[in-house]
Amino acid sequence: MQESIEAWKTANPDVSVGEVPIDLLTNSGSGLDPHISPKAAKAQVPRISKLTGIGEADLGQLVERHTEGRDLGLFGEPRVNVLKLNLALTEMMTKK
């Protein structure tokens, strides 16, 4: 876990470790979970903005558009489909 925290600090110097969602520091049982929490996606916005040149506000809107609600409105937690988000990000970058 400490290695994950150190890696996070190195890659995201603008975000304090206390603000790091746990799902960014741990893996799912299979290591292949296609979703992250909205908080985890938003925590990465400053870094992705610097890497891509896309404004933080635009990236925040992109995260919101790819946030899925609870199943049947009751079950599970809101989540962001990482594959769909990354595909939309790639599309934004090619239009830039």
Side-chain angles (χ1 to χ4, degrees):
M1 181 66 90
Q2 191 60 39
E3 288 178 24
S4 295
I5 292 170
E6 292 305 318
W8 171 263
K9 288 195 291 191
T10 300
N12 301 277
D14 298 329
V15 180
S16 86
V17 174
E19 298 173 10
V20 180
I22 193 71
D23 54 327
L24 290 179
L25 300 176
T26 60
N27 291 324
S28 67
S30 67
L32 300 173
D33 192 349
H35 299 92
I36 59 174
S37 68
K39 185 176 178 182
K42 290 173 186 172
Q44 297 179 76
V45 165
R47 178 176 55 87
I48 300 303
S49 178
K50 285 181 182 176
L51 290 172
T52 63
I54 298 172
E56 289 187 28
D58 291 334
L59 290 172
Q61 291 173 355
L62 193 65
V63 169
E64 291 297 323
R65 282 197 306 269
H66 290 87
T67 298
E68 301 170 358
R70 298 172 188 271
D71 293 330
L72 302 174
L74 300 170
F75 304 106
E77 295 296 324
R79 63 218 174 267
V80 177
N81 185 308
V82 176
L83 175 60
K84 290 180 182 178
L85 179 63
N86 284 340
L87 289 172
L89 179 60
T90 299
E91 185 177 328
M92 268 182 110
M93 291 185 331
T94 58
K95 290 182 181 179
K96 218 178 110 182

